[in-house]
Amino acid sequence: MNAVLIALLALPLLGAALTLAPATAFGPDRATQEKRALRFGALVTGLVLVLTVALAAGFDRAHASRMQAVTDTAWIPAIGVRFHLGVDGISLPLVVLTALLTLLCAVYSTRRLPDGPGVPSARVFVGLLLLLEVGMLATFVVLDLLLFFLAFEIVLIPMYFLIARWGSGAKVASANRFILYTLLGSAVMLLGFLLVGLKAGTFDMTALAAAHGHGLSHTTQVLAALAIGLGLAVKAPAWPLHSWLPDAHTSAPTVGSVLLAGVLLKMGTYGLVRVLLPVVPDGTATLAPYLGALAAVGVVYGSLACLALARQGSKGDLKRLIAYSSVGHMGFVLLGIASLTPVGVNGALFANVAHGLITGLLFFLVGALKDRYGTADLDTLAGATGAALYGRAPRIGALLAFAAVASLGLPGLAGFWGEVLAMFGAFDPAAGLSRPAFVTYMVLAGLGTLLTAAYLLIVVRRVCMGDPKQPAVVEGIADLRPYEAVSWTPLAALTLVAGLWPALLLGLSDPAVKHLLGGG
C-alpha cells in the first residue's frame, strides 16, 4: 500500500510536468491540443481517484489510529528531514475528498473551461490543476514538519494563477491578497516548526506526537503554538484573518472556488489537529480559550454577513455569500478543535468533510447560474418576484435547495453531525478549560445556526421561487446538463450518505483522535 500512496503523488506530478512542459504535443492544432489536454487531466485525476479508492479499500479500519501505507526514508540527512508518508483515520477521508473533488473539477472543465488569456489556455490550466492536486494530497499524507510546510506552499502558486488568469472581476487584486495573506501566515508557521524541531531534535511528526510535548518547556510550547496556530488560522480561515477569502471566491473560476472551499480551507484545520494538538499540547491548551472565542465570533459574524448580502436591495453576490458562509461553518470546526475533547475534534473533522461536499456543490451550482445569467448578483437574478428556478430549471433549483438545507444543518444530511458534535465538545470541554466560557461559545454557535437557516432560506426563496412567467435576466434558461449531472451527483449522494451513516467517517476518526489526544 505504500507504493499506492507514493503513486498518488507521483501520478499528478508527472501529469503536471507533461502538460506544462513546452515541448509537449497534444495534437497538430490548437483546438485538438486543448481538447486532448482537458481529457488528459480528467484521465489522470480519475486514475488518482482509483488509487485513492484502492488505498481506502486496503486500509485496516480495526487499527485506524495507526499510520498505514508508511514510507520512511532519509531525504535531507544534514537537517534530519525524512521523506515520511502515511495515512490514518484522520487523513484518509480528506485524501479521498481531495481526489474526488479534483476529478469532478477536471470533468466539469472538459465542457466548461473558464475563459483565460494566452495560448494554449487549456494545457496550462490542466497542468496547474494537477500541480494543485499534488500539493493538496501531499499536505494530508506527509509526516515531517518541513515536508508539511513544503506541501502547504505548493498549492499557493497554481491557485494564484487559477484566480489571476481564469478568474473574473478584480481577479489580480484578489489573487494578490490571497497569496500575500497565506505567504505571511506560512512564514510565521515555519518559524514555529523550526522552533519545535530544533528544541525537540526532530521534525518527524509521529515522533513528536508520541513525545506529546515532553522535552519542550511551557514557554516554548506557547510560542510554537502561537506561531503555528496563526499560520494555520489564516488558511482555515479564522476570524479576523479571513478577509482574503470573500474576494478570492468572488473572483475565482468555478473549479477554483470548489477546490479552495472544499480542500484548501481544510489544510489549515487539519494542521491544527495533526500538529498543534499532539505536538505542543500545553501550549495549545493555553491558547484554546482564545481560539474558541474567535471561532464563536466567526460563526456569528459569517452568518450576519450572509444575512446582509441576502437582503433585497443589498446587491449581494452569491459567490461572496457562500464565501462568508464558509467563515461561519469553519468556525464550528475551530470550536470543536478548541474544546480539546474527542467529541469536539471528531465533530470538527466530520464538519471538514461535510463542508467540502456541500460547499463544493454550492459553488458548482452558483457557477452554473453565473454562466447562464451572466451574473451572480442576487438582486439581478431574483428580479421583482424571484428567479423562479423551480419553474425555469427545476433540477438545478432542486439541487440548490438540497445543498442549502444541507448547509444549514438539516438532520439526516452531512452538515448536521459536525456542528452538533462541535457544540457538544464546547458544552463539556477538556479539563483545565473554563466551562462557562465554552458554554457561552456554544450558545453563540447555536445562534449562528439560526442565522444560517435564515439567510439560506432567504436565498432559496429568492432564487428558486417566484413567477416563471415574469421576465427573466436571460430567456430560455437551460436545466441540468449531462456533464453537470456527472460532476454534481456524487457530491449530493455523499452528502446524503454521510448524513444517514455518520459512523462511516466517525468510525475512522475516533480511534485516531483519541490516540493523538492521549499522546499517540
Side-chain angles (χ1 to χ4, degrees):
M1 298 307 294
N2 60 342
V4 173
L5 190 56
I6 293 173
L8 274 178
L9 304 180
L11 187 59
L13 183 61
L14 179 61
L18 289 174
T19 51
L20 291 174
T24 304
F26 279 88
D29 55 76
R30 183 187 175 189
T32 303
Q33 289 178 6
E34 301 260 302
K35 290 180 181 179
R36 289 182 179 177
L38 292 169
R39 291 171 183 169
F40 178 76
L43 174 64
V44 172
T45 54
L47 291 175
V48 170
L49 181 60
V50 170
L51 291 173
T52 306
V53 171
L55 183 68
F59 188 81
D60 185 0
R61 291 178 63 94
H63 299 90
S65 62
R66 187 185 67 199
M67 283 296 169
Q68 301 180 35
V70 174
T71 296
D72 187 9
T73 184
W75 187 42
I76 309 177
I79 56 175
V81 178
R82 303 186 66 80
F83 186 74
H84 193 180
L85 309 176
V87 292
D88 64 356
I90 292 173
S91 55
L92 182 63
L94 293 170
V95 171
V96 176
L97 176 68
T98 300
L100 174 64
L101 286 177
T102 310
L103 171 62
L104 298 182
C105 287
V107 171
Y108 184 82
S109 299
T110 59
R111 297 297 301 274
R112 188 62 186 88
L113 181 69
D115 296 330
V119 180
S121 178
R123 187 160 60 83
V124 177
F125 178 87
V126 170
L128 292 173
L129 184 66
L130 294 175
L131 184 60
L132 182 64
E133 184 176 34
V134 175
M136 295 186 299
L137 289 171
T139 300
F140 300 129
V141 302
V142 296
L143 297 173
D144 183 279
L145 287 179
L146 294 187
L147 270 183
F148 179 87
F149 172 78
L150 181 62
F152 204 79
E153 296 304 286
I154 285 176
V155 303
L156 300 184
I157 299 303
M159 182 55 73
Y160 171 83
F161 283 109
L162 286 177
I163 297 172
R165 183 168 178 175
W166 285 274
S168 59
K171 55 186 181 180
V172 176
S174 299
N176 289 339
R177 175 174 287 190
F178 159 75
I179 202 163
L180 178 62
Y181 268 71
T182 49
L183 278 178
L184 287 175
S186 298
V188 177
M189 181 180 71
L190 178 60
L191 293 177
F193 285 168
L194 293 174
L195 177 61
V196 169
L198 294 175
K199 291 290 185 180
T202 180
F203 291 101
D204 188 87
M205 292 160 67
T206 56
L208 291 167
H212 207 56
H214 181 71
L216 298 175
S217 68
H218 181 73
T219 302
T220 298
Q221 289 199 40
V222 171
L223 289 174
L226 182 60
I228 296 170
L230 279 174
L232 295 171
V234 171
K235 187 67 72 74
W239 180 91
L241 304 174
H242 69 284
S243 60
W244 61 270
L245 184 68
D247 290 338
H249 272 309
T250 303
S251 298
T254 296
V255 295
S257 291
V258 169
L259 292 176
L260 183 58
V263 182
L264 265 67
L265 303 189
K266 315 305 177 286
M267 292 165 59
T269 50
Y270 169 80
L272 291 173
V273 174
R274 176 65 71 197
V275 179
L276 232 59
L277 296 185
V279 175
V280 284
D282 292 345
T284 304
T286 300
L287 299 178
Y290 305 101
L291 178 61
L294 295 179
V297 172
V299 172
V300 176
Y301 171 83
S303 300
L304 289 174
C306 290
L307 200 57
L309 289 170
R311 289 184 310 172
Q312 187 171 0
S314 63
K315 305 297 290 182
D317 187 285
L318 270 179
K319 292 187 73 176
R320 195 173 191 85
L321 186 147
I322 299 173
Y324 273 110
S325 78
S326 292
V327 176
H329 287 305
M330 297 311 289
F332 283 99
V333 176
L334 295 171
L335 180 61
I337 295 172
S339 73
L340 304 183
T341 63
V343 172
V345 177
N346 274 300
L349 294 171
F350 194 101
N352 255 349
V353 176
H355 180 264
L357 296 172
I358 297 167
T359 308
L361 179 58
L362 280 170
F363 273 119
F364 269 133
L365 288 163
V366 174
L369 290 179
K370 188 173 182 179
D371 290 341
R372 286 162 169 78
Y373 285 98
T375 180
D377 179 79
L378 188 54
D379 285 342
T380 304
L381 289 175
T385 66
L389 277 189
Y390 287 151
R392 291 176 176 141
R395 293 182 179 86
I396 292 180
L399 273 174
L400 182 61
F402 172 83
V405 296
S407 184
L408 64 82
L410 185 72
L413 299 176
F416 173 75
W417 295 106
E419 296 181 0
V420 166
L421 291 175
M423 288 193 287
F424 271 143
F427 181 74
D428 188 17
L433 298 179
S434 170
R435 189 163 188 257
F438 273 84
V439 170
T440 302
Y441 303 156
M442 182 198 72
V443 172
L444 288 174
L447 174 63
T449 62
L450 298 178
L451 296 173
T452 299
Y455 73 73
L456 284 171
L457 291 177
I458 290 173
V459 169
V460 170
R461 176 178 61 80
R462 298 191 66 198
V463 177
C464 296
M465 301 180 184
D467 185 0
K469 296 180 181 179
Q470 292 294 319
V473 178
V474 178
E475 297 296 336
I477 298 300
D479 204 353
L480 191 67
R481 297 182 174 113
Y483 73 92
E484 293 172 334
V486 170
S487 303
W488 305 346
T489 302
L491 299 179
L494 289 173
T495 297
L496 184 61
V497 169
L500 295 175
W501 189 18
L504 182 67
L505 293 176
L506 295 175
L508 284 172
S509 64
D510 187 53
V513 166
K514 291 177 178 176
H515 187 64
L516 281 186
L517 292 176

